[in-house]
Amino acid sequence: MSLSIGIVGLPNVGKSTLFTALTKKTGLAANYPFATIDPNVGIVDVPDSRLQKLADIVNPGRIVPATVEFVDIAGLVKGANEGEGLGNQFLANIRETDAICEVVRYFKDPNVMREVGRTGEFVDPAGDADTIMTELILADMGTLEKQLPKLEKEAKRDKELMPKFEVAKRLLAWLNEGKRAASMEMTDEERAAAKGLFLLTMKPILYVANVDEDMLNEDLAPIDGVKPLPICAKIEAELSELDPEDAADYLESLGLEQPGLDVLAQAAYKLLGLQSFFTAGEMEVKAWTVRQGATAPQAAGVIHTDFERGFIKAEVIGYDDYVELGGEQGAKAAGKLRIEGKDYVMADGDVVHFRFNV
């Protein structure tokens, strides 16, 4: 399952520094606007302590974590919806992602330009976030204004398309009030229709506060009703260059339990509405990614499409039972191995073995 999160923000907020540390790739991080033009893409492991506990039981050849794709998208500027700062290209890059991770500048650094006429000491997180949201809203309004005439004609010919036309009209009026599309109340039918409009402000949004080191434990005010994750990109960049033992010592000296990037990867996974199920054997222990609410056949299809088509049953053990009882044999002896059919909805952490016809 390939799902991606676009990292966005105004120029010089630390997006590329964060991305480089996050993906441990050599990305371009520079102190001037539009240093990133073409988006960089990186696959990031989702830290999950349950994998090691499963591995301690079955002693596999390897451990394979779940992953999330991050896309480093160039800095947006005011007027991006009208093409300012190559805005149209960047907005198109955002449109192709499944969710948005917005980096907001909280750090103060006179050596890093904020914007023309403003020194690096000046920060305005709420104003910066509002600038980005305004550009996304204006871009969505432009999208709807272009689509509505065509949608109206199609709805007159095919009444089944009327819900899409009606929700598009409502959304345009809503956006015109400065509100993002996802916050409008919609029925399940309307929300399904709205997905086909490909609006930027329908995407889930996660805010990252790029803070100075002394702000890591501060209780930051919500942005658009969402608590931002405080991360110091400078520290994360330093951590990414250290070996695991030195990185652990550095974290301890900072009073942190885990890197901020681990927290970000986990938050991104949840933001996308994802969960993991596990397969465990001598060859490997692996976390597989499914959407929350996925059925057993859909989960089997993540491993191989043939498994979904030929699904017969799933042998399921809850994670806690698997660990407590020492693995499959212990769980089976205790009556904790369940046989589930096509209607079974996967739970986060299920340890599964599928049976299928090929």
Side-chain angles (χ1 to χ4, degrees):
M1 177 175 289
S2 178
L3 296 168
S4 64
I5 294 185
I7 302 179
V8 304
L10 295 175
N12 300 330
V13 297
K15 293 184 304 79
S16 294
T17 300
L18 188 70
F19 175 84
T20 302
L22 187 65
T23 59
K24 294 180 173 60
K25 288 177 59 174
T26 301
L28 178 62
N31 176 26
Y32 55 88
F34 314 121
T36 309
I37 295 178
D38 295 322
N40 295 311
V41 178
I43 306 298
V44 177
D45 290 345
V46 179
D48 192 331
S49 60
R50 295 175 296 182
L51 284 166
Q52 187 58 56
K53 291 183 179 180
L54 293 174
D56 290 342
I57 294 171
V58 300
N59 299 309
R62 61 177 182 168
I63 298 174
V64 184
T67 59
V68 174
E69 180 180 279
F70 281 88
V71 183
D72 182 23
I73 298 171
L76 290 170
V77 296
K78 188 175 182 179
N81 71 96
E82 297 175 347
E84 287 294 325
L86 302 180
N88 290 331
Q89 178 182 340
F90 303 151
L91 290 168
N93 291 333
I94 298 171
R95 204 176 303 280
E96 293 174 1
T97 64
D98 299 288
I100 296 171
C101 171
E102 182 177 336
V103 182
V104 183
R105 178 173 175 171
Y106 283 68
F107 69 89
K108 301 177 178 69
D109 188 337
N111 298 314
V112 178
M113 183 192 307
R114 181 178 181 275
E115 61 185 59
V116 176
R118 299 286 185 121
T119 69
E121 290 289 341
F122 176 81
V123 293
D124 181 11
D128 290 353
D130 186 62
T131 295
I132 295 290
M133 184 57 69
T134 297
E135 291 306 316
L136 299 180
I137 287 172
L138 290 171
D140 280 349
M141 289 175 65
T143 296
L144 289 175
E145 286 167 354
K146 290 178 182 177
Q147 290 191 55
L148 275 171
K150 182 180 178 182
L151 286 172
E152 185 174 17
K153 289 180 181 178
E154 291 176 344
K156 288 179 179 178
R157 291 196 302 266
D158 184 351
K159 297 302 181 184
E160 291 187 2
L161 295 176
M162 187 58 71
K164 187 175 182 179
F165 172 61
E166 292 296 338
V167 78
K169 285 197 301 181
R170 285 186 58 214
L171 280 166
L172 181 57
W174 184 260
L175 291 163
N176 198 41
E177 294 178 7
K179 302 172 184 176
R180 68 187 186 104
S183 66
M184 189 178 85
E185 287 190 14
M186 288 179 267
T187 64
D188 290 343
E189 182 184 25
E190 288 175 327
R191 197 163 290 277
K195 285 184 180 179
L197 299 171
F198 305 106
L199 302 179
L200 301 173
T201 61
M202 279 294 293
K203 298 179 184 293
I205 298 181
L206 174 69
Y207 290 97
V208 169
N210 188 5
V211 300
D212 289 312
E213 181 181 331
D214 59 3
M215 296 177 64
L216 279 171
N217 294 316
E218 284 191 18
D219 185 21
L220 303 176
I223 298 175
D224 193 28
V226 179
K227 290 282 284 187
L229 291 176
I231 291 178
C232 179
K234 184 178 179 181
I235 288 176
E236 299 301 327
E238 293 170 354
L239 283 168
S240 71
E241 298 298 324
L242 300 176
D243 61 45
E245 186 175 340
D246 289 340
D249 290 341
Y250 187 24
L251 279 173
E252 186 178 355
S253 72
L254 294 169
L256 301 175
E257 294 183 1
Q258 61 180 330
L261 297 183
D262 284 6
V263 178
L264 174 56
Q266 292 161 349
Y269 199 64
K270 291 180 180 178
L271 180 71
L272 290 168
L274 305 177
Q275 64 183 22
S276 296
F277 71 90
F278 304 112
T279 52
E282 292 183 1
M283 182 179 296
E284 66 179 18
V285 165
K286 184 168 183 175
W288 299 88
T289 300
V290 291
R291 290 194 180 277
Q292 294 171 10
T295 63
Q298 290 170 335
V302 171
I303 298 176
H304 196 290
T305 53
D306 287 346
F307 291 7
E308 181 173 4
R309 288 194 293 268
F311 178 89
I312 298 174
K313 63 182 179 180
E315 297 176 355
V316 182
I317 304 170
Y319 168 79
D320 290 337
D321 290 333
Y322 192 97
V323 172
E324 182 181 344
L325 297 167
E328 182 178 338
Q329 294 306 315
K332 190 173 184 179
K336 295 296 184 178
L337 186 153
R338 311 186 310 274
I339 304 300
E340 303 288 359
K342 293 183 177 181
D343 294 332
Y344 176 67
V345 176
M346 300 294 293
D348 184 47
D350 278 346
V351 184
V352 187
H353 181 71
F354 294 107
R355 300 293 183 184
F356 53 89
N357 286 319
V358 293

